[in-house]
Amino acid sequence: MKRREFLQNGAAAACGILLVKPATAFTYQANSAVRLGLLGCGNRGTAVATSFSHSTSARVVALADLFPDNLERGRGHFDQLNASLGHAPIDAKLLFHGPQAYEQLAASTGVDLIQISTPPFFHVQHLEAAVAAGKHVYCEKPVGIDVSQARHALEIAGRVKPGQSVDVGFQCRSAPPFASIVEKINAGALGKIASVTANYNAPASLEKLRAGESPDEYRLRNWLWDRALSGDILVEQNIHIIDLCNWILKAHPVSATATGGRNVLTHAGDCWDNYQVDFTYPGDIHLSFSSTQFGEGGFDAGLKLFGAGGSATIPYSGPVAITGPQPWAWQDSTSTTPGSGKFAANGSFADNLEFADRDKERTFIASITSGPAHNQIAAGVETALSCMLGRMAGLTRREVTWDDLLAHGETYKLGMDMNQFA
Ligand SMILES: NC(=O)c1ccc[n+]([C@@H]2O[C@H](COP(=O)([O-])OP(=O)(O)OC[C@H]3O[C@@H](n4cnc5c(N)ncnc54)[C@H](O)[C@@H]3O)[C@@H](O)[C@H]2O)c1
């Protein structure tokens, strides 16, 4: 299948539902709380479900996790949170653990929305169950770790029903400073774009150890180090920056060359600790991307676009600005203490992503309660495939085109029987 067809099959299904009001397919009452079931009670899942509870009408009513200890920790946290918000504790009938927990959660009638925050290898399997059960879904990135999962996700995109809303966790697109500068770029502030540079340098993730655990359990708890479980650092973490680039350039890369390796990491796993990728976008626009993930340093991530009429700087932390004949800098109009900001010209926030989750969640819940519904699966797949393109170029040490990637149809195996955790 050609690259356009590959994505359009999913995108067509996605576009088809945009005009349908939720009431057409659901008896959902716009004024009642959206009942959220969290699948994967780890760091990100807990943070996002907590943020949903504070920022929107969503209420956490169900939890599911592979491991009983993580489920129990989640229960303690959300019972306390619900109490602080005047809501009931989680019903014991809506607590699930084990390898079938995702199916039990999907089958729960008291749940409207499933938030998928499990390791990336499981996202598409979990998405399929949630979509088939007619739930709204908030699925963390990446949508798939290999080409065969990406194809599967596009089939699922076509099964999303009218009024059913599915978001993918690219919250950076909702960060107010980023949304503002992208609007400027779309309006032509940079003129013809010549090239892009970007980086993602991040500290290593910490080892999680549990007494008496098997090698498979160790792998699952330390999934960030494992290529099959995570997709590697390009697909799992660097994906946010590649997504911003795709969004701004309104395209995915057509080819990539790359290098990288595992030069300093000595712990278990097979993920690389650095990548250098040259992505070619339509119009011969090149994105020179580099990433590292090791050590104890801070986060340094962002991109710069260079155009005939100026350049744009878009970092996670630091001034978001356009330089050139018509300079522009992000101003935080919500600040009540002008001048105190660390980065914004007159703002108070310390990080450009501070409101990204909140604003993403509010838009998503509005798509459920008042429509139009979202279906972001195809867009999520497009960005995941873009990262897989860079990964394949790095692993094979040759130029890989988008069509090569799709024709290759790479498939990673989990290499363990999940029933051992029943
Ligand atoms: N959007 C962002 O900025 C962002 C940031 C961090 C993480 N993430 C994504 O969020 C997801 C979760 O990351 P995390 O940091 O919370 O990981 P984590 O390890 O802290 O949590 C994962 C949880 O999933 C559970 N789990 C593992 N396999 C499962 C299965 N088969 N069924 C049910 N539960 C299972 C684990 O027991 C654990 O509680 C990942 O996809 C990651 O890429 C996104």
Side-chain angles (χ1 to χ4, degrees):
M1 195 186 291
K2 290 286 178 213
R3 65 189 164 90
R4 286 198 177 281
E5 281 174 62
F6 184 82
L7 286 166
Q8 279 170 358
N9 283 352
C15 292
I17 68 164
L18 290 178
L19 298 174
V20 182
K21 290 258 183 211
T24 313
F26 291 92
T27 53
Y28 187 79
Q29 297 300 309
N31 291 329
S32 58
V34 174
R35 298 166 300 176
L36 185 154
L38 170 61
L39 176 57
C41 307
N43 294 327
R44 176 72 181 162
T46 303
V48 171
T50 302
S51 176
F52 264 115
S53 303
H54 285 303
S55 308
T56 74
S57 65
R59 185 181 300 179
V60 179
V61 300
L63 300 174
D65 200 287
L66 181 64
F67 296 121
D69 59 307
N70 288 347
L71 180 69
E72 203 42 51
R73 198 171 41 241
R75 181 186 198 171
H77 172 84
F78 286 105
D79 277 354
Q80 206 171 24
L81 177 71
N82 281 344
S84 74
L85 296 171
H87 306 322
I90 293 171
D91 185 335
K93 290 197 226 52
L94 291 176
L95 293 166
F96 309 102
H97 67 83
Q100 266 69 53
Y102 73 100
E103 290 174 322
Q104 294 169 304
L105 180 65
S108 300
T109 49
V111 172
D112 306 305
L113 157 65
I114 294 185
Q115 179 193 318
I116 300 173
S117 301
T118 48
F121 183 87
F122 303 108
H123 286 175
V124 177
Q125 180 187 38
H126 294 169
L127 179 68
E128 182 169 45
V131 166
K135 307 298 186 193
H136 303 290
V137 187
Y138 186 96
C139 181
E140 267 304 344
K141 35 54 58 172
V143 187
I145 54 92
D146 59 24
V147 174
S148 70
Q149 287 194 358
R151 284 185 193 282
H152 189 184
L154 289 181
E155 287 166 24
I156 297 165
R159 292 181 221 143
V160 173
K161 296 181 190 71
Q164 193 176 7
S165 209
V166 183
D167 257 26
V168 175
F170 287 123
Q171 78 276 13
C172 294
R173 293 192 186 201
S174 301
F178 293 178
S180 291
I181 197 167
V182 171
E183 208 177 296
K184 292 265 168 209
I185 295 169
N186 285 343
L190 304 186
K192 185 178 189 312
I193 294 172
S195 63
V196 188
T197 61
N199 69 292
Y200 203 130
N201 304 106
S205 61
L206 298 177
E207 184 179 45
K208 290 181 182 166
L209 272 176
R210 196 168 157 80
E213 68 189 344
S214 68
D216 285 349
E217 183 173 339
Y218 179 87
R219 256 187 83 200
L220 281 165
R221 290 188 187 268
N222 294 283
W223 63 267
L224 273 163
W225 297 353
D226 187 292
R227 188 175 295 146
L229 280 162
S230 70
D232 211 330
I233 63 172
L234 248 184
V235 177
E236 196 279 327
Q237 186 175 56
N238 307 162
I239 192 168
H240 283 295
I241 295 293
I242 310 300
D243 184 60
L244 289 176
C245 196
N246 283 7
W247 183 38
I248 295 168
L249 297 180
K250 299 190 180 70
H252 61 72
V254 292
S255 65
T257 57
T259 60
R262 192 176 161 92
N263 292 346
V264 297
L265 286 181
T266 54
H267 60 55
D270 54 359
C271 287
W272 280 7
D273 56 31
N274 74 96
Y275 272 92
Q276 284 66 233
V277 190
D278 185 280
F279 289 105
T280 304
Y281 280 78
D284 205 31
I285 299 173
H286 287 259
L287 160 62
S288 173
F289 176 79
S290 76
S291 71
T292 53
Q293 192 185 99
F294 59 81
E296 295 175 2
F299 278 82
D300 173 18
L303 63 161
K304 287 186 179 177
L305 295 104
F306 302 91
S311 59
T313 307
I314 311 176
Y316 271 18
S317 298
V320 172
I322 291 174
T323 51
Q326 291 179 306
W328 173 89
W330 160 253
Q331 309 280 314
D332 181 4
S333 59
T334 62
S335 172
T336 51
T337 52
S340 67
K342 196 169 169 196
F343 303 121
N346 72 341
S348 61
F349 62 85
D351 187 309
N352 294 321
L353 299 181
E354 184 175 357
F355 299 119
D357 283 315
R358 182 199 68 184
D359 289 5
K360 166 109 183 147
E361 291 151 10
R362 286 182 177 168
T363 308
F364 176 52
I365 295 299
S367 80
I368 295 171
T369 55
S370 47
H374 296 174
N375 184 343
Q376 299 183 344
I377 298 175
V381 166
E382 181 173 20
T383 299
L385 284 168
S386 305
C387 298
M388 293 173 208
L389 182 73
R391 181 183 65 194
M392 185 178 280
L395 294 176
T396 59
R397 308 269 177 194
R398 64 174 177 84
E399 183 177 26
V400 178
T401 67
W402 186 268
D403 291 340
D404 290 339
L405 174 75
L406 299 188
H408 185 285
E410 63 169 0
T411 306
Y412 283 89
K413 299 275 182 237
L414 183 58
M416 72 172 85
D417 177 6
M418 291 298 288
N419 287 322
Q420 67 187 291
F421 302 107

